[in-house]
Amino acid sequence: MPRCVLIVGAGPAGLATAACLKQRGVRAELVDRHGVPGGAYRRIYDGITLASPTRHTGLPGLDPKAPEYITVPQYRAYLDGYAAHHGLTVRKATVTRVRPGFQVQFESEERRYDAVVVATGMFDFPRRVDGATHASEWRGPAALPGPRVLIIGGATAAIEIAEECARALLQPTLSVRSRLKIVPQRFLGRDLHDFIVPASRWLPRWVARGYCHGEQSLPGADLGFREFRRRGVVRLRGAVKRIDGKSATFVNGEREEFDAIVAATGYRFERSFLEDETAPGLHLVGAPCAHSLASEFLYGIREDAGKVARCLS
Ligand SMILES: Cc1cc2nc3c(=O)[nH]c(=O)nc-3n(C[C@H](O)[C@H](O)[C@H](O)COP(=O)(O)OP(=O)(O)OC[C@H]3O[C@@H](n4cnc5c(N)ncnc54)[C@H](O)[C@@H]3O)c2cc1C
Protein backbone atom coordinates (compact mmCIF):
# COMPACT_ATOMS: atom_id res chain seq x y z
CA MET A 1 0.00 0.00 0.00
CA PRO A 2 1.45 3.43 -0.92
CA ARG A 3 2.49 5.64 2.02
CA CYS A 4 1.01 8.90 0.76
CA VAL A 5 -0.96 9.65 -2.38
CA LEU A 6 -1.08 13.14 -3.84
CA ILE A 7 -4.41 14.13 -5.42
CA VAL A 8 -4.05 17.16 -7.69
CA GLY A 9 -7.34 19.06 -8.03
CA ALA A 10 -10.26 19.33 -5.59
CA GLY A 11 -13.14 19.31 -8.05
CA PRO A 12 -15.63 16.42 -8.14
CA ALA A 13 -12.91 14.00 -9.33
CA GLY A 14 -10.37 14.88 -6.64
CA LEU A 15 -12.99 14.92 -3.88
CA ALA A 16 -14.45 11.56 -4.95
CA THR A 17 -10.99 9.96 -5.10
CA ALA A 18 -10.02 11.42 -1.71
CA ALA A 19 -13.24 10.07 -0.16
CA CYS A 20 -12.69 6.58 -1.64
CA LEU A 21 -9.04 6.48 -0.51
CA LYS A 22 -10.01 7.63 2.99
CA GLN A 23 -12.65 4.93 3.20
CA ARG A 24 -9.92 2.39 2.38
CA GLY A 25 -7.53 3.84 4.95
CA VAL A 26 -5.04 5.16 2.39
CA ARG A 27 -3.31 8.40 3.43
CA ALA A 28 -3.79 11.07 0.79
CA GLU A 29 -3.11 14.77 0.42
CA LEU A 30 -5.58 16.80 -1.62
CA VAL A 31 -4.24 20.00 -3.19
CA ASP A 32 -5.86 22.57 -5.46
CA ARG A 33 -4.54 25.78 -6.93
CA HIS A 34 -7.63 27.58 -5.57
CA GLY A 35 -7.39 26.05 -2.10
CA VAL A 36 -11.11 25.23 -1.84
CA PRO A 37 -13.25 22.24 -2.81
CA GLY A 38 -15.58 22.44 -5.82
CA GLY A 39 -13.27 22.80 -8.85
CA ALA A 40 -15.13 24.06 -11.91
CA TYR A 41 -18.33 24.44 -9.88
CA ARG A 42 -16.77 27.36 -7.98
CA ARG A 43 -16.54 29.25 -11.27
CA ILE A 44 -19.32 27.99 -13.59
CA TYR A 45 -22.05 30.60 -13.98
CA ASP A 46 -24.97 30.22 -11.56
CA GLY A 47 -27.66 30.27 -14.25
CA ILE A 48 -26.76 26.77 -15.50
CA THR A 49 -28.72 23.64 -14.63
CA LEU A 50 -26.83 20.38 -15.14
CA ALA A 51 -28.01 18.42 -18.15
CA SER A 52 -27.66 15.09 -16.30
CA PRO A 53 -30.51 14.25 -13.96
CA THR A 54 -29.52 14.56 -10.28
CA ARG A 55 -29.58 10.76 -9.88
CA HIS A 56 -26.53 10.57 -12.21
CA THR A 57 -24.48 13.28 -10.49
CA GLY A 58 -23.79 11.81 -7.03
CA LEU A 59 -20.26 10.96 -5.88
CA PRO A 60 -19.38 7.87 -3.79
CA GLY A 61 -20.77 7.86 -0.27
CA LEU A 62 -23.23 10.76 -0.46
CA ASP A 63 -25.96 11.59 -2.98
CA PRO A 64 -27.15 15.13 -3.68
CA LYS A 65 -30.63 16.02 -2.51
CA ALA A 66 -32.24 18.09 -5.24
CA PRO A 67 -35.16 17.96 -7.70
CA GLU A 68 -34.81 15.93 -10.92
CA TYR A 69 -32.27 18.42 -12.33
CA ILE A 70 -29.71 20.16 -10.13
CA THR A 71 -28.51 23.76 -10.60
CA VAL A 72 -24.87 24.85 -10.39
CA PRO A 73 -25.33 26.64 -7.00
CA GLN A 74 -27.03 23.49 -5.62
CA TYR A 75 -24.24 21.29 -6.93
CA ARG A 76 -21.58 23.63 -5.49
CA ALA A 77 -23.31 23.40 -2.09
CA TYR A 78 -23.45 19.62 -2.48
CA LEU A 79 -19.67 19.49 -3.09
CA ASP A 80 -19.02 21.64 0.02
CA GLY A 81 -21.25 19.25 1.98
CA TYR A 82 -19.48 16.26 0.41
CA ALA A 83 -16.06 17.50 1.56
CA ALA A 84 -17.41 18.14 5.07
CA HIS A 85 -19.24 14.79 5.20
CA HIS A 86 -16.01 12.90 4.39
CA GLY A 87 -13.80 15.22 6.48
CA LEU A 88 -11.69 16.24 3.47
CA THR A 89 -9.35 19.21 3.64
CA VAL A 90 -7.79 20.98 0.68
CA ARG A 91 -4.29 22.49 0.73
CA LYS A 92 -3.82 25.53 -1.52
CA ALA A 93 -0.97 24.63 -3.88
CA THR A 94 -0.28 24.46 -7.60
CA VAL A 95 1.61 21.50 -9.00
CA THR A 96 4.11 22.71 -11.59
CA ARG A 97 5.99 19.47 -12.31
CA VAL A 98 5.77 15.78 -11.46
CA ARG A 99 9.19 14.17 -11.93
CA PRO A 100 9.89 10.42 -12.10
CA GLY A 101 9.62 8.82 -8.66
CA PHE A 102 6.72 11.19 -7.89
CA GLN A 103 9.03 14.01 -6.92
CA VAL A 104 6.47 16.79 -7.05
CA GLN A 105 7.33 20.43 -7.61
CA PHE A 106 4.94 23.05 -6.19
CA GLU A 107 5.45 26.81 -6.68
CA SER A 108 7.87 27.13 -3.76
CA GLU A 109 8.70 23.63 -2.50
CA GLU A 110 9.24 20.04 -3.55
CA ARG A 111 7.78 16.90 -1.94
CA ARG A 112 7.89 13.19 -2.67
CA TYR A 113 4.82 10.97 -2.84
CA ASP A 114 4.24 7.29 -3.49
CA ALA A 115 1.50 7.75 -6.05
CA VAL A 116 -0.20 10.67 -7.81
CA VAL A 117 -3.81 11.09 -8.94
CA VAL A 118 -4.30 13.81 -11.55
CA ALA A 119 -7.81 15.27 -11.18
CA THR A 120 -7.15 18.66 -12.72
CA GLY A 121 -10.25 18.81 -14.95
CA MET A 122 -10.59 20.99 -18.01
CA PHE A 123 -12.35 24.15 -16.88
CA ASP A 124 -9.07 26.02 -16.29
CA PHE A 125 -7.99 25.24 -19.87
CA PRO A 126 -10.52 26.61 -22.38
CA ARG A 127 -9.97 26.37 -26.15
CA ARG A 128 -10.07 30.08 -26.98
CA VAL A 129 -10.86 31.93 -30.21
CA ASP A 130 -9.08 35.27 -30.71
CA GLY A 131 -11.47 38.17 -30.21
CA ALA A 132 -14.25 36.14 -28.55
CA THR A 133 -15.20 35.61 -24.93
CA HIS A 134 -14.99 31.93 -23.97
CA ALA A 135 -18.13 30.13 -22.70
CA SER A 136 -16.34 29.51 -19.38
CA GLU A 137 -16.73 33.27 -18.77
CA TRP A 138 -20.42 33.33 -19.76
CA ARG A 139 -22.44 35.19 -17.14
CA GLY A 140 -25.89 35.07 -18.72
CA PRO A 141 -27.87 37.29 -21.12
CA ALA A 142 -28.26 40.12 -18.58
CA ALA A 143 -24.49 40.73 -18.68
CA LEU A 144 -24.48 41.35 -22.46
CA PRO A 145 -24.16 44.88 -23.91
CA GLY A 146 -26.82 44.28 -26.61
CA PRO A 147 -29.15 41.71 -28.21
CA ARG A 148 -27.04 40.51 -31.17
CA VAL A 149 -25.03 37.54 -29.92
CA LEU A 150 -22.79 35.36 -32.05
CA ILE A 151 -22.09 31.97 -30.50
CA ILE A 152 -19.27 29.98 -32.10
CA GLY A 153 -19.75 26.22 -31.73
CA GLY A 154 -22.28 23.53 -32.53
CA ALA A 155 -22.48 21.31 -29.46
CA THR A 156 -23.62 21.32 -25.81
CA ALA A 157 -22.49 24.73 -24.55
CA ALA A 158 -23.36 26.54 -27.79
CA ILE A 159 -26.87 25.09 -27.78
CA GLU A 160 -27.41 25.93 -24.09
CA ILE A 161 -26.23 29.53 -24.53
CA ALA A 162 -28.35 30.00 -27.68
CA GLU A 163 -31.45 28.68 -25.86
CA GLU A 164 -30.78 30.98 -22.90
CA CYS A 165 -30.41 34.00 -25.22
CA ALA A 166 -33.58 33.07 -27.12
CA ARG A 167 -35.56 32.77 -23.87
CA ALA A 168 -34.28 36.23 -22.89
CA LEU A 169 -35.65 37.60 -26.23
CA LEU A 170 -32.17 38.31 -27.63
CA GLN A 171 -31.07 37.55 -31.22
CA PRO A 172 -28.65 34.60 -31.04
CA THR A 173 -26.74 33.45 -34.13
CA LEU A 174 -24.87 30.16 -34.05
CA SER A 175 -21.70 29.80 -36.12
CA VAL A 176 -21.34 26.10 -36.90
CA ARG A 177 -18.29 24.72 -38.72
CA SER A 178 -19.76 21.39 -39.84
CA ARG A 179 -23.10 20.30 -38.43
CA LEU A 180 -25.10 21.06 -35.34
CA LYS A 181 -24.98 18.26 -32.76
CA ILE A 182 -28.28 18.03 -30.95
CA VAL A 183 -30.33 15.17 -29.51
CA PRO A 184 -33.73 15.05 -27.79
CA GLN A 185 -33.55 15.33 -24.01
CA ARG A 186 -36.04 12.49 -23.54
CA PHE A 187 -36.51 9.12 -25.24
CA LEU A 188 -39.34 6.65 -24.50
CA GLY A 189 -40.44 8.97 -21.68
CA ARG A 190 -37.05 8.92 -19.93
CA ASP A 191 -34.07 11.28 -19.85
CA LEU A 192 -31.56 10.18 -22.49
CA HIS A 193 -28.90 9.89 -19.73
CA ASP A 194 -30.78 6.84 -18.37
CA PHE A 195 -29.63 5.07 -21.57
CA ILE A 196 -26.28 6.84 -22.07
CA VAL A 197 -24.91 6.30 -18.55
CA PRO A 198 -24.98 2.46 -18.55
CA ALA A 199 -23.94 2.27 -22.23
CA SER A 200 -20.95 4.58 -21.73
CA ARG A 201 -19.58 2.20 -19.07
CA TRP A 202 -19.36 -0.85 -21.31
CA LEU A 203 -18.98 0.58 -24.82
CA PRO A 204 -15.33 0.28 -25.91
CA ARG A 205 -13.51 3.60 -26.27
CA TRP A 206 -12.69 3.02 -29.95
CA VAL A 207 -16.36 3.52 -30.89
CA ALA A 208 -15.88 7.22 -30.10
CA ARG A 209 -12.23 7.59 -31.11
CA GLY A 210 -12.68 11.17 -32.37
CA TYR A 211 -14.22 12.27 -29.09
CA CYS A 212 -11.56 10.48 -27.02
CA HIS A 213 -8.81 12.22 -29.02
CA GLY A 214 -10.43 15.62 -28.43
CA GLU A 215 -11.31 16.04 -32.11
CA GLN A 216 -15.10 15.81 -31.75
CA SER A 217 -17.57 17.18 -29.25
CA LEU A 218 -20.65 15.50 -27.85
CA PRO A 219 -24.19 16.56 -28.81
CA GLY A 220 -26.25 18.88 -26.66
CA ALA A 221 -29.78 18.18 -25.42
CA ASP A 222 -32.67 19.95 -27.11
CA LEU A 223 -34.44 22.02 -24.44
CA GLY A 224 -36.29 24.19 -26.95
CA PHE A 225 -33.52 24.87 -29.48
CA ARG A 226 -35.29 23.26 -32.46
CA GLU A 227 -38.50 25.17 -31.73
CA PHE A 228 -36.57 28.48 -31.48
CA ARG A 229 -34.89 27.62 -34.75
CA ARG A 230 -38.22 26.77 -36.45
CA ARG A 231 -39.59 30.15 -35.32
CA GLY A 232 -36.51 31.90 -36.70
CA VAL A 233 -35.42 33.14 -33.25
CA VAL A 234 -32.04 31.39 -33.55
CA ARG A 235 -30.10 31.82 -36.80
CA LEU A 236 -27.41 29.45 -38.11
CA ARG A 237 -24.33 30.65 -40.03
CA GLY A 238 -21.17 28.96 -41.29
CA ALA A 239 -17.72 29.05 -39.73
CA VAL A 240 -16.12 32.32 -38.68
CA LYS A 241 -12.89 33.22 -40.51
CA ARG A 242 -11.92 36.34 -38.58
CA ILE A 243 -13.06 38.56 -35.75
CA ASP A 244 -12.25 42.29 -35.70
CA GLY A 245 -13.66 43.90 -32.57
CA LYS A 246 -17.42 43.25 -32.71
CA SER A 247 -17.40 42.32 -36.39
CA ALA A 248 -17.21 38.70 -37.61
CA THR A 249 -16.18 37.65 -41.12
CA PHE A 250 -17.59 34.29 -42.17
CA VAL A 251 -15.98 31.78 -44.55
CA ASN A 252 -18.28 32.92 -47.39
CA GLY A 253 -16.75 36.41 -47.08
CA GLU A 254 -19.81 38.06 -45.49
CA ARG A 255 -19.30 40.36 -42.49
CA GLU A 256 -21.71 41.03 -39.67
CA GLU A 257 -21.68 43.19 -36.55
CA PHE A 258 -22.58 41.71 -33.16
CA ASP A 259 -22.89 43.09 -29.63
CA ALA A 260 -21.10 40.07 -28.17
CA ILE A 261 -19.16 37.10 -29.54
CA VAL A 262 -18.95 33.95 -27.41
CA ALA A 263 -16.74 30.95 -28.23
CA ALA A 264 -18.39 27.74 -27.03
CA THR A 265 -15.40 25.82 -28.29
CA GLY A 266 -14.76 23.47 -25.40
CA TYR A 267 -11.79 22.68 -23.19
CA ARG A 268 -8.63 20.59 -23.24
CA PHE A 269 -7.35 18.28 -20.53
CA GLU A 270 -4.01 19.85 -19.58
CA ARG A 271 -1.32 17.72 -17.93
CA SER A 272 1.91 19.21 -19.24
CA PHE A 273 3.29 19.14 -15.67
CA LEU A 274 3.68 15.35 -15.96
CA GLU A 275 7.12 14.22 -17.10
CA ASP A 276 6.10 10.56 -17.44
CA GLU A 277 2.44 9.77 -18.07
CA THR A 278 3.01 6.02 -18.00
CA ALA A 279 4.57 5.70 -14.53
CA PRO A 280 2.96 2.93 -12.42
CA GLY A 281 1.13 4.66 -9.56
CA LEU A 282 -0.01 7.56 -11.74
CA HIS A 283 -3.77 7.74 -12.27
CA LEU A 284 -6.12 10.10 -14.10
CA VAL A 285 -9.63 10.74 -12.79
CA GLY A 286 -12.04 13.05 -14.63
CA ALA A 287 -9.98 13.02 -17.85
CA PRO A 288 -11.81 12.29 -21.11
CA CYS A 289 -11.85 8.55 -21.84
CA ALA A 290 -9.33 7.82 -19.03
CA HIS A 291 -11.17 4.63 -18.02
CA SER A 292 -14.39 4.64 -20.07
CA LEU A 293 -16.39 6.90 -22.38
CA ALA A 294 -17.99 8.41 -19.25
CA SER A 295 -14.72 9.34 -17.53
CA GLU A 296 -15.00 13.15 -17.84
CA PHE A 297 -18.59 13.19 -16.55
CA LEU A 298 -19.84 13.06 -13.00
CA TYR A 299 -21.30 9.57 -13.48
CA GLY A 300 -17.94 8.36 -14.81
CA ILE A 301 -15.98 10.07 -12.04
CA ARG A 302 -18.09 8.20 -9.50
CA GLU A 303 -17.02 4.85 -10.98
CA ASP A 304 -13.40 5.76 -11.74
CA ALA A 305 -12.65 7.20 -8.28
CA GLY A 306 -13.66 3.86 -6.73
CA LYS A 307 -11.56 1.91 -9.26
CA VAL A 308 -8.46 4.05 -8.68
CA ALA A 309 -8.82 3.82 -4.89
CA ARG A 310 -9.13 0.03 -5.14
CA CYS A 311 -6.02 -0.07 -7.28
CA LEU A 312 -4.01 2.16 -4.90
CA SER A 313 -5.00 0.19 -1.82
C1 LIG B 1 -20.94 24.14 -17.79
C2 LIG B 1 -20.71 22.69 -17.48
C3 LIG B 1 -21.78 21.84 -17.32
C4 LIG B 1 -21.57 20.48 -17.05
N1 LIG B 1 -22.65 19.65 -16.92
C5 LIG B 1 -22.45 18.35 -16.63
C6 LIG B 1 -23.56 17.46 -16.45
O1 LIG B 1 -24.71 17.85 -16.56
N2 LIG B 1 -23.30 16.17 -16.15
C7 LIG B 1 -22.03 15.67 -16.03
O2 LIG B 1 -21.88 14.49 -15.75
N3 LIG B 1 -20.97 16.49 -16.20
C8 LIG B 1 -21.16 17.80 -16.51
N4 LIG B 1 -20.08 18.62 -16.69
C9 LIG B 1 -18.75 18.01 -16.65
C10 LIG B 1 -18.23 17.81 -15.23
O3 LIG B 1 -19.03 18.39 -14.26
C11 LIG B 1 -16.91 18.43 -15.12
O4 LIG B 1 -16.12 17.86 -16.10
C12 LIG B 1 -16.35 18.25 -13.71
O5 LIG B 1 -16.20 19.53 -13.16
C13 LIG B 1 -15.03 17.56 -13.73
O6 LIG B 1 -14.54 17.54 -12.43
P1 LIG B 1 -13.01 17.48 -12.20
O7 LIG B 1 -12.85 17.35 -10.73
O8 LIG B 1 -12.39 16.49 -13.09
O9 LIG B 1 -12.45 18.91 -12.70
P2 LIG B 1 -12.69 20.37 -12.16
O10 LIG B 1 -14.02 20.52 -11.58
O11 LIG B 1 -12.30 21.28 -13.28
O12 LIG B 1 -11.59 20.53 -10.98
C14 LIG B 1 -10.21 20.49 -11.23
C15 LIG B 1 -9.49 21.32 -10.19
O13 LIG B 1 -8.09 21.12 -10.36
C16 LIG B 1 -7.42 22.35 -10.18
N5 LIG B 1 -6.13 22.31 -10.85
C17 LIG B 1 -5.88 22.27 -12.18
N6 LIG B 1 -4.55 22.20 -12.43
C18 LIG B 1 -3.94 22.22 -11.20
C19 LIG B 1 -2.56 22.16 -10.78
N7 LIG B 1 -1.56 22.07 -11.66
N8 LIG B 1 -2.30 22.20 -9.46
C20 LIG B 1 -3.31 22.28 -8.53
N9 LIG B 1 -4.62 22.33 -8.88
C21 LIG B 1 -4.93 22.28 -10.20
C22 LIG B 1 -8.38 23.33 -10.85
O14 LIG B 1 -8.14 24.66 -10.45
C23 LIG B 1 -9.73 22.81 -10.36
O15 LIG B 1 -10.09 23.41 -9.12
C24 LIG B 1 -20.26 19.97 -16.93
C25 LIG B 1 -19.17 20.84 -17.08
C26 LIG B 1 -19.39 22.19 -17.36
C27 LIG B 1 -18.20 23.09 -17.54
Side-chain angles (χ1 to χ4, degrees), residues 9 11-13 32-34 39-41 50-52 93 95 120-121 124 296-298:
D32 192 289
R33 72 163 98 222
H34 298 287
Y41 289 90
L50 298 204
S52 313
V95 170
T120 44
D124 282 2
E296 75 174 279
F297 298 99
L298 299 166

Side-chain angles (χ1 to χ4, degrees), residues 278-289:
T278 59
L282 179 78
H283 297 270
L284 305 184
V285 180
C289 298

Side-chain angles (χ1 to χ4, degrees), residues 40-58:
Y41 289 90
R42 287 253 94 83
R43 295 180 296 287
I44 299 176
Y45 149 70
D46 281 359
I48 291 181
T49 297
L50 298 204
S52 313
T54 307
R55 59 185 169 279
H56 296 304
T57 63

